[in-house]
Amino acid sequence: MSQKVFIFDTTLRDGEQVPGCKLNTKEKLELAVKLEELGVDILEAGFPVSSPGDFESVNQIAKTLKNTVVCGLTRAVQNDIEVAAEALKPAKRFRIHTGIGTSDLHIKYKFNSNREEIIERAVNAVKMARNFTDDVEFYAEDAGRTDNTYLAQVIEAVVKAGATTLNIPDTTGYCLPEEYGAKIKYLREHVKGIENVILSCHCHNDLGMATANSIAGVINGARQIECTINGIGERAGNTALEEVVMVLKQHPYLNLETTINTKLLYDTSIMVRESMGMPVQPNKAIVG
């Protein structure tokens, strides 16, 4: 029997970070309804604390969707988490997605901090989010360039604190598929309690390897892929939803499947490119 890979769509959050792709609440809501129809399991509706408009969009999507888990992004900051919880409150099911950078570059230059303090902040953020929901996802920003031993310490600490999904982002699109797959495998083998949570792939496409890295991740035990329609996103974009879904569908021997209605991929692609003003190259995989 095939194992399910959850599809976490971040078209309306990470995808919208492309300059010129700003959507209003009505446009976001229309896309959210289309993405639910497509069959995405989790929809990251936005970053509620970032602006009143984003708060309103997340709130309206939370009120509207009936089956999809609605997710809001936060930093490891109390106000971020409280604002996200308020925006998500009307949802039938919601997730708070919180986290912090874990690479030495982020720790030193972004946070002017140290490894011990980062773990403490991560744990506190997860515990705070658990006050509002039992569905808490933690992201270790720049995990792709984070030492595996330290990354495992961070992940084990947040699992113990109550995180239920662990996002392992290749934030700069730096990893090779073998490296990224090995990172997921290392976490599965070295984190106590990892069998009770879901590891998630969030790969960027700076070197053109987002799809390959995400597939390497699920082959090595991740069970969620974070992606966008048409692979849109800042810089070179995110993992393309249509690509990873079709890879899994066309290679049944992997024994991995999604609940995406692939017949709707092209129509959804058209809707995203038109509403965001982002043309798709004619030879784009799957939807070109």
Side-chain angles (χ1 to χ4, degrees):
M1 184 177 178
S2 296
Q3 294 188 49
K4 179 175 178 176
V5 174
F6 292 89
I7 296 298
F8 177 112
D9 183 276
T10 185
T11 302
L12 300 181
R13 202 279 301 170
D14 215 348
E16 200 205 17
Q17 290 183 205
V18 178
C21 275
K22 193 69 178 172
L23 301 175
N24 60 37
T25 296
K26 180 176 180 292
E27 291 167 328
K28 279 194 171 187
L29 188 56
E30 289 172 351
L31 270 176
V33 170
K34 184 68 173 177
L35 290 164
E36 181 171 59
E37 182 185 2
L38 180 66
V40 303
D41 299 288
I42 304 99
L43 188 146
E44 190 165 53
F47 184 7
V49 81
S50 64
S51 70
D54 227 33
F55 180 97
E56 178 65 15
S57 295
V58 173
N59 190 249
Q60 290 301 316
I61 291 169
K63 289 176 180 177
T64 303
L65 298 193
K66 297 177 174 59
N67 301 309
T68 302
V69 175
V70 182
C71 177
L73 184 75
T74 82
R75 297 165 296 182
V77 175
Q78 180 175 345
N79 185 58
D80 281 30
I81 294 167
E82 291 173 347
V83 169
E86 183 63 27
L88 292 163
K89 189 184 294 185
K92 290 192 174 181
R93 294 188 297 156
F94 72 84
R95 173 180 298 182
I96 292 176
H97 189 188
T98 191
I100 196 167
T102 56
S103 69
D104 287 336
L105 285 169
H106 277 230
I107 292 171
K108 182 176 181 179
Y109 296 109
K110 185 174 182 178
F111 298 109
N112 190 28
S113 186
N114 56 65
R115 287 182 166 189
E116 292 73 24
E117 185 178 297
I118 291 298
I119 291 178
E120 183 180 350
R121 289 178 64 177
V123 166
N124 288 340
V126 169
K127 287 182 176 178
M128 200 177 306
R130 282 296 300 245
N131 290 328
F132 302 101
T133 177
D134 60 3
D135 189 349
V136 175
E137 179 169 342
F138 174 83
Y139 64 85
E141 188 177 3
D142 207 21
R145 295 187 296 179
T146 300
D147 169 73
N148 283 352
T149 304
Y150 176 65
L151 182 61
Q153 292 173 4
V154 176
I155 296 304
E156 187 164 312
V158 296
V159 168
K160 187 176 180 181
T164 51
T165 301
L166 291 311
N167 176 5
I168 312 301
D170 183 23
T171 304
T172 60
Y174 177 79
C175 286
L176 296 171
E178 183 179 353
E179 293 173 326
Y180 189 79
K183 190 175 288 284
I184 297 295
K185 186 173 186 287
Y186 183 90
L187 294 174
R188 282 182 54 80
E189 293 176 348
H190 292 84
V191 173
K192 185 177 180 181
I194 201 73
E195 67 278 3
N196 300 317
V197 298
I198 293 174
L199 282 169
S200 180
C201 308
H202 183 113
C203 300
H204 284 258
N205 205 39
D206 298 68
L207 296 175
M209 290 184 289
T211 293
N213 284 338
S214 295
I215 297 300
V218 297
I219 287 173
N220 282 278
R223 288 296 176 266
Q224 177 175 284
I225 297 176
E226 309 194 5
C227 42
T228 63
I229 299 295
N230 301 336
I232 63 169
E234 59 182 333
R235 306 190 314 278
N238 290 50
T239 303
L241 182 151
E242 62 277 3
E243 293 178 15
V244 291
V245 165
M246 291 307 297
V247 168
L248 297 180
K249 183 171 183 175
Q250 294 299 317
H251 293 277
Y253 59 84
L254 295 175
N255 292 318
L256 298 169
E257 63 182 9
T258 73
T259 54
I260 296 295
N261 181 350
T262 56
K263 293 179 180 179
L264 298 179
L265 285 173
Y266 187 69
D267 287 348
T268 309
S269 169
I270 293 290
M271 188 173 181
V272 168
R273 66 181 85 172
E274 289 181 350
S275 62
M276 290 189 164
M278 286 286 289
V280 169
Q281 66 194 70
N283 63 333
K284 163 74 175 67
I286 313 303
V287 294

